[in-house]
């Protein structure tokens, strides 16, 4: 995250007094010290329990990218919006698998709690579309677009099915939702593990720009769901992960800062500001969309 913040010009830690929450539908979350006091809601749609947990670690890593405060790293690995609250629904199991029904229930729960916790952003770091039939995918797309129309900025991962063109799911192709691809800029050039090598891409013949925007996603160091505490303090506090799942919460965190500063912005205004301030990487638009997120420019004005 230290590298990422420098790369996308994200030195600011908070941009206003608005206390808002980002909802995350993923594998869950643990009470990591970097997130302490800011996990305002948790619901388990897999086992139905009440205990806050993450048996995969994916969701905790995503939450750290959005809003970890870097407490155990002296701020080095803090997330993009370290004062934001988090509302987490566990819709995926320890293998990262889940049902469409769990995701639909999770979205309904987030909408139900939207006013109570001032949820403005919904982060979906899930490669949707590979394991479900078209009918269920359409149901999920419609549900997410309805959430957008009800005031949630829905940010979803492009997926890791590239680099061929037209590898986005129908959800990623939605004209409403913000679809995030993965690009590391000048980092990891020549590496086969570079996320641009597998980030899903839009249709080269489509006049719309999809994905909408890109963010770094290779070897992102963030909160570890396996953090442990012993006599000598905490260990295994951070872990490195890669993929469009990691790029997506960078955008969610950036939008959280924007809405902190401008709570009056509706979804379309916030989305336009995000896209119009991105840095053009000189790549085809079906790969980069509007370009790399730039937080400093996003918050200007």
């Amino acid at each position: 995250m230290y590298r990422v913040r420098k790369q996308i010009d994200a030195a600011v830690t908070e941009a206003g007094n608005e206390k808002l929450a980002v909802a995350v539908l993923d594998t869950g979350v643990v009470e990591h010290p970097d997130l302490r006091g800011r996990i305002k809601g948790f619901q388990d749609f897999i086992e139905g329990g009440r205990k806050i947990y993450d048996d995969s670690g994916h969701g905790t890593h995503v939450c750290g990218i959005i809003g970890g405060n870097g407490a155990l790293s002296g701020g080095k690995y803090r997330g993009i919006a370290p004062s934001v609250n988090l509302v987490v629904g566990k819709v995926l199991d320890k293998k990262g698998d889940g049902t469409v029904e769990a995701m639909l229930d999770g979205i309904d729960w987030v909408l139900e709690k939207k006013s109570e916790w001032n949820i403005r952003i919904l982060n979906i770091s899930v490669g949707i579309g590979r394991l479900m039939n078209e009918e269920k995918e359409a149901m999920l797309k419609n549900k997410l677009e309805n959430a957008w129309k009800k005031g949630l900025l829905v940010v979803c991962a492009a997926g890791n099915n590239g680099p061929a063109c037209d590898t986005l799911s129908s959800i990623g192709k939605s004209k409403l939702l913000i679809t995030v691809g993965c690009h590391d800029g000048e980092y990891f050039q020549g590496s086969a593990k570079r996320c641009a090598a597998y980030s899903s891409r839009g249709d080269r013949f489509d006049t719309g720009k999809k994905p909408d925007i890109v963010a770094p996603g290779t070897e992102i160091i963030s909160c570890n769901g396996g953090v442990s505490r012993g006599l000598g303090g905490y260990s295994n506090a951070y872990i490195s992960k890669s993929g469009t799942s990691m790029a997506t919460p960078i955008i969610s965190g950036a939008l959280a800062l924007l809405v902190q500063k401008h709570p009056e912005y509706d979804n379309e205004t916030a989305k336009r500001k995000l896209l119009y301030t991105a840095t053009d990487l000189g790549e085809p638009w079906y790969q980069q969309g509007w370009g790399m997120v730039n937080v400093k420019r996003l918050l200007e004005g």
Side-chain angles (χ1 to χ4, degrees):
M1 288 306 299
Y2 176 75
R3 163 177 57 85
V4 169
R5 293 197 313 274
K6 292 182 66 176
Q7 188 175 356
I8 65 172
D9 216 348
V12 66
T13 58
E14 56 184 354
N17 297 321
E18 181 76 0
K19 199 62 179 176
L20 58 89
V22 178
V24 178
L25 296 179
D26 212 289
T27 64
V29 67
V30 302
E31 294 179 326
H32 193 287
D34 286 17
L35 306 173
R36 182 169 291 142
R38 290 183 293 114
I39 303 172
K40 297 302 179 182
F42 179 86
Q43 186 74 29
D44 181 5
F45 297 96
I46 299 298
E47 300 293 340
R50 296 186 177 183
K51 176 185 175 183
I52 293 178
Y53 74 107
D54 181 1
D55 50 4
S56 163
H58 188 276
T60 302
H61 196 269
V62 165
C63 288
I65 293 172
I66 294 170
N69 63 14
L72 295 183
S73 63
K76 183 176 182 179
Y77 299 130
R78 69 170 172 78
I80 303 300
S83 66
V84 75
N85 289 328
L86 296 160
V87 175
V88 182
K90 181 174 174 59
V91 298
L92 303 174
D93 63 18
K94 62 183 179 181
K95 295 181 180 179
D97 296 332
T99 64
V100 179
E101 289 75 19
M103 182 68 78
L104 293 173
D105 288 344
I107 297 166
D108 285 339
W109 173 70
V110 170
L111 285 170
E112 179 187 333
K113 299 296 184 179
K114 178 178 179 293
S115 297
E116 179 180 349
W117 290 316
N118 195 21
I119 305 170
R120 288 296 310 275
I121 298 150
L122 172 56
N123 187 94
I124 307 287
S125 285
V126 181
I128 296 167
R130 291 174 294 173
L131 302 176
M132 60 184 68
N133 61 45
E134 291 183 2
E135 182 179 354
K136 288 189 175 182
E137 190 173 353
M139 289 173 57
L140 189 49
K141 177 186 176 185
N142 290 338
K143 180 75 76 171
L144 287 169
E145 289 185 340
N146 181 57
W148 177 279
K149 292 172 184 176
K150 290 185 176 181
L152 287 177
L153 281 158
V154 182
V155 186
C156 62
N160 303 327
N161 298 320
C165 295
D166 199 18
T167 47
L168 296 170
S169 70
S170 67
I171 292 159
K173 293 178 181 178
S174 169
K175 296 185 184 300
L176 289 181
L177 312 183
I178 298 171
T179 307
V180 183
C182 191
H183 201 295
D184 294 301
E186 70 273 20
Y187 293 91
F188 302 102
Q189 293 198 24
S191 171
K193 296 181 179 180
R194 193 170 191 250
C195 68
Y198 56 77
S199 180
S200 294
R201 302 187 184 186
D203 186 345
R204 72 172 69 205
F205 300 111
D206 195 339
T207 56
K209 294 185 179 183
K210 279 289 180 177
D212 294 280
I213 197 165
V214 294
T218 301
E219 296 182 13
I220 306 300
I221 299 175
S222 180
C223 295
N224 184 8
V227 63
S228 57
R229 185 174 186 177
L231 295 177
Y234 289 94
S235 60
N236 301 316
Y238 302 98
I239 193 169
S240 172
K241 293 182 182 290
S242 301
T244 57
S245 286
M246 283 61 254
T248 302
I250 292 171
I251 301 301
S252 293
L255 285 169
L257 290 174
L258 178 64
V259 178
Q260 274 184 338
K261 184 176 181 180
H262 293 287
E264 75 279 7
Y265 278 6
D266 62 15
N267 281 4
E268 289 305 318
T269 302
K271 181 179 178 180
R272 283 197 301 269
K273 191 78 185 291
L274 173 75
L275 303 185
Y276 294 173
T277 56
T279 301
D280 186 355
L281 299 173
E283 303 280 2
W285 71 17
Y286 56 83
Q287 179 177 347
Q288 70 154 24
W290 290 81
M292 178 76 75
V293 61
N294 185 293
V295 174
K296 182 179 179 181
R297 285 203 299 268
L298 175 66
L299 299 179
E300 288 176 348

